[in-house]
Amino acid sequence: MESVSTNAEIRLTVAQSFRTLTSSTDCKDIIATLQALVSYLDDGAESKTTSAEREEFRRAHYSRTLQFLVSNIQADWLWSLSAAHRAELWDNWFLKGPPDQALLVLMDAITELRPSTSLDHLVGITEKFLQSGRLAELLWSYCVQSASSDSPQLRETLLGRISALPDIMANKLHPDIRPCFLPQQYYPLLASEMLAALERTCHALRDGTDCSLSFVAQTLGKVCIQGHSGSVLALMAPRLCVCTRSDMLWRRVCWKLLESVPQRWMESVLTGLVQAVRGPDTLGRIIGNLVLTNKKAQFVMTHKLLLLQYKYETPALRTVLGYLAADRDRRPLLIQAIRSLSQAWANPSAIRHTPLEQQLYVSKALLLSVSLLKDSELQELRSELLQCMLGGMQSHLDSSVPRVRKMGMVVGECLSSRMDFKGAALKFEYEPDEETRELLSLITPDTCDEPEPEPGNGRDSPESVSQTSTSPQNVTSQSQPGGTGPGSDLDSDDDFTPYDMSADQETGRASPPRYLRDCLETLTSSEDAERVELSLRAAESLVRTNVFAAREISVQMTKVLLHMEDKYRISGFLRLRQTTMVALAVTACIPVTQYLTTEFYSLNYSLRQRLDILEVLALAAQELSAPISDKNVSSSGGRTSAELSLHQSDDPAHWRQVVEKRIQSKTKRISKGATQPAAQPTPNRYAPVAGYFFFPLLRNYDKPQVTFDLLGSDHLVLGRLIHTLGLLMHLAVNAPIAAQMGRALLDFVWAVRYHADQMVRRGVLFAVCSVFLSMPSQSLLVDLSDQLFETRTWLADVAEGDPDEDCRSLAVQSLVLLDKSLKKQLEDQQALSLES
């Protein structure tokens, strides 16, 4: 009965105050009325109201009073007050009382008001609200059990205002937003306020007061799901790490906080926390055994972070797997994760259809998890890991991507060494790089939480190095080479000037051949390693300087070089052989090209020889398409006559020209006009013979041979063939036969556009780019009109959904080229119609 009368009295007082503020013009009455209302917010001993009245006012009338004040923000009675009275009797209303109601009223008012002085005034009050610690008061009020009687709708609205406050203020105030409302300042402030609420919770629990962390957990989850987990947890994680190191109550508070995060926001909180903590021990202290009690957390930690998402760095992987391995109850989840990782790593479909970055990520996770296994667990998983190693290595080695093959070799080596096959560990030959070194280091267990050693204690510290380098023994050994001191009586030849032998040449029993037929004879029948090497090194120069002789024996010599093996371990053998075949293909273009393109589909050739044929054809086409210059004509063995004359002339005018030329070459000018004569036009030697290079390679591609299946298992050669055809197409730009080549190439690659191997898909997209670059716009629109729409749709699908990044990039480039060609053709047609 007393509460009812109290509520009626307060309601009557508030209503009379509103009428007075609305109708009165006397400044004294207004001040007295506001002071009477403010007394309901004063908690001091001198307050004129009872605690029951204050509690009832906060519950039922505080929010209504704030709304009344905001609605009268432009009233005359407000601006008749002095600045001190306005700050005390109006602004303080938002800095006292329930903070959740104050924040909601402020946000609603700022959203509704237009740019004005009143809006600036409310923005200033909101800034004071944040800087005075009112957010911490708000969070703490919801930690107390008695404050949990609000409605779910109110709580959801408040969560939205707190988590999106920078966005709300930016939408309203942009570009004149204050610094405290920027995300880089607001979210660290919110993180510190949440830490303050957690600290007050720990003190309350020690005093025996019950608390609830559901609202703080909801705030943390809401902020993280909106993409601000990095800035929030970067400040919270170090503090929680320190607090949980020796305080069990802090650990229980953190565990309860993570357990109270709603399921829909659990992933964002965990992923942010994994990246923010420094190691698995810290993560274990903060989240405890959350993966055992929460199914969503278990799915995120054992499946999503290891198999589905691959954007995280190696320390994050170490943290996750180390956390699973650190506790006896969590180790079964580590075994489960290893089984999933081994199946994913050995899956042939995953190797073909997932990005390289994801395959590398899974490989790192597999090696890290295996390194954490105990011997008993390793024996339990031995058969599964062996099956994974053998099947996965086979799938990786079958790939046409060198990076994937190397990845399979490294992981196979690490797994075999970890399983200890009694000294019969696998060992492959590959070129080590940063990626392989990182993979090899992961099989060794590492502890991320170990403190770094202090500088200066190492064996190789600068002090020890300097002491070693200046020791007496070293000084003696450096000053007395060979053990001979300055007082030695032995005769020495060190005072004589050495004879310059830098220009001397080693004389051998054989001399390089001077005629091309002698070179061919040596390569064909000689068993002398020195003569074969000299002939191979001289072959390219002889081909280019003896054109007529080279044309006579071009096919025969190409056949010899194509079948030649490096029996004598000649340095640079592959390069010498390739450059000679390229010189033959350039000198005797048609017969050599016809021979090579015919042999490409012949029987009894290795894949290496077929790849050599494609490389020679591509390099020869590039050389033929390049303009002829004096640099190409001059031999590489000596100086030209012009170069010699520069050194032999003593004419002063000549040297003035030389100096002037050097000054001109070193001087930078913004604009000088034409300083060099225009380039002389030269015929394109590749355009008349492009068909000999291109069309024979399109024959018989769908006929499997005894040792060669282009559309089957030999997808490495298929990818290189398509890439070579695309290059030959690109070099034929402006050639009369380009349109015919483009149509044939598109018909060829259309059948393999969805090939499982990414190297083949890259070649297809490169070929399509070459067609769009090289075919005339008119031919592209007229000859390929029926295919353009379907091609464009396919390219859009590849650009959006192909797992390979290079394929997506090439598809985007192809779309851009296609749109440019079509736009140019339509503009040309429009210009012709206007002229007619």
Side-chain angles (χ1 to χ4, degrees), residues 86 169 173 194 198 203 221 238 259 277 287 322 335 389 444 479 484 506 514 516 535 537 613 648 679 769 804 814:
R86 194 181 307 123
M169 303 301 285
L173 305 178
M194 284 192 283
L198 294 178
H203 290 309
E259 290 175 5
V277 299
I287 71 174
I335 304 299
M389 183 184 72
T444 304
S479 61
T484 306
E506 183 180 355
R514 299 175 57 189
L516 192 56
S535 299
R537 295 188 181 281
I613 292 174
Q648 295 173 358
C769 283
D804 186 67
S814 300

Side-chain angles (χ1 to χ4, degrees), residues 484-497:
T484 306
S488 176
D489 295 335
L490 298 177
D491 294 335
S492 177
D493 295 336
D494 292 343
D495 296 334
F496 293 100
T497 302

